[in-house]
Short mmCIF file of all heavy atoms in Angstrom, two decimals:
data_model
loop_
_atom_site.label_atom_id
_atom_site.label_comp_id
_atom_site.label_asym_id
_atom_site.label_seq_id
_atom_site.Cartn_x
_atom_site.Cartn_y
_atom_site.Cartn_z
N THR A 191 5.41 -6.30 -7.24
CA THR A 191 4.04 -5.81 -6.73
C THR A 191 3.97 -4.36 -6.82
O THR A 191 4.98 -3.68 -7.12
CB THR A 191 3.88 -6.24 -5.34
OG1 THR A 191 4.66 -5.53 -4.41
CG2 THR A 191 3.95 -7.81 -5.12
N THR A 192 2.76 -3.82 -6.78
CA THR A 192 2.66 -2.38 -6.81
C THR A 192 1.56 -1.98 -5.77
O THR A 192 0.66 -2.77 -5.50
CB THR A 192 2.39 -1.79 -8.16
OG1 THR A 192 2.49 -0.46 -8.18
CG2 THR A 192 0.98 -2.27 -8.68
N ALA A 193 1.53 -0.72 -5.40
CA ALA A 193 0.40 -0.10 -4.73
C ALA A 193 -0.05 1.07 -5.47
O ALA A 193 0.79 1.85 -6.08
CB ALA A 193 0.82 0.42 -3.34
N VAL A 194 -1.41 1.28 -5.68
CA VAL A 194 -1.90 2.21 -6.59
C VAL A 194 -3.24 2.79 -6.07
O VAL A 194 -4.04 2.08 -5.40
CB VAL A 194 -2.08 1.72 -8.03
CG1 VAL A 194 -3.10 0.59 -8.10
CG2 VAL A 194 -2.36 2.88 -9.02
N GLY A 195 -3.55 4.10 -6.27
CA GLY A 195 -4.74 4.69 -5.94
C GLY A 195 -5.52 5.03 -7.25
O GLY A 195 -4.94 5.16 -8.33
N ASN A 196 -6.89 4.94 -7.05
CA ASN A 196 -7.70 5.14 -8.31
C ASN A 196 -7.58 6.55 -8.90
O ASN A 196 -7.98 6.75 -10.07
CB ASN A 196 -9.16 4.74 -8.04
CG ASN A 196 -9.85 5.65 -7.01
OD1 ASN A 196 -9.34 6.63 -6.54
ND2 ASN A 196 -11.03 5.23 -6.58
N TRP A 197 -7.00 7.55 -8.17
CA TRP A 197 -6.95 8.89 -8.68
C TRP A 197 -5.83 9.05 -9.70
O TRP A 197 -5.71 10.03 -10.44
CB TRP A 197 -6.78 9.90 -7.54
CG TRP A 197 -5.46 9.67 -6.72
CD1 TRP A 197 -4.26 10.22 -6.81
CD2 TRP A 197 -5.45 8.83 -5.55
NE1 TRP A 197 -3.46 9.78 -5.88
CE2 TRP A 197 -4.11 8.87 -5.02
CE3 TRP A 197 -6.32 8.03 -4.85
CZ2 TRP A 197 -3.66 8.22 -3.86
CZ3 TRP A 197 -5.84 7.32 -3.67
CH2 TRP A 197 -4.53 7.44 -3.25
N TYR A 198 -4.90 8.05 -9.88
CA TYR A 198 -3.91 8.11 -10.96
C TYR A 198 -3.90 6.74 -11.60
O TYR A 198 -2.88 6.47 -12.39
CB TYR A 198 -2.55 8.48 -10.44
CG TYR A 198 -1.84 7.67 -9.40
CD1 TYR A 198 -0.93 6.67 -9.83
CD2 TYR A 198 -2.17 7.78 -8.08
CE1 TYR A 198 -0.42 5.80 -8.85
CE2 TYR A 198 -1.56 6.95 -7.13
CZ TYR A 198 -0.69 5.98 -7.45
OH TYR A 198 -0.05 5.18 -6.62
N ALA A 199 -4.88 5.86 -11.46
CA ALA A 199 -4.78 4.49 -12.00
C ALA A 199 -4.75 4.58 -13.57
O ALA A 199 -4.18 3.61 -14.22
CB ALA A 199 -6.01 3.71 -11.56
N ASP A 200 -5.30 5.58 -14.23
CA ASP A 200 -5.36 5.66 -15.61
C ASP A 200 -4.00 5.88 -16.24
O ASP A 200 -3.83 5.92 -17.51
CB ASP A 200 -6.31 6.62 -16.13
CG ASP A 200 -6.16 8.01 -15.69
OD1 ASP A 200 -5.35 8.26 -14.73
OD2 ASP A 200 -6.78 8.93 -16.17
N ARG A 201 -3.00 6.28 -15.45
CA ARG A 201 -1.59 6.49 -16.00
C ARG A 201 -0.83 5.16 -16.19
O ARG A 201 0.24 5.26 -16.80
CB ARG A 201 -0.77 7.41 -15.07
CG ARG A 201 -1.51 8.74 -14.82
CD ARG A 201 -0.65 9.63 -13.96
NE ARG A 201 -1.33 10.89 -13.81
CZ ARG A 201 -0.78 11.92 -13.01
NH1 ARG A 201 0.40 11.74 -12.47
NH2 ARG A 201 -1.47 13.04 -12.87
N ILE A 202 -1.42 4.08 -15.73
CA ILE A 202 -0.83 2.79 -15.91
C ILE A 202 -1.63 1.97 -16.90
O ILE A 202 -2.83 1.82 -16.70
CB ILE A 202 -0.81 2.16 -14.61
CG1 ILE A 202 0.00 2.99 -13.51
CG2 ILE A 202 -0.04 0.73 -14.63
CD1 ILE A 202 -0.05 2.48 -12.06
#
Side-chain angles (χ1 to χ4, degrees):
T191 68
T192 190
V194 66
N196 62 12
W197 59 92
Y198 63 95
D200 58 349
R201 299 183 183 181
I202 303 171

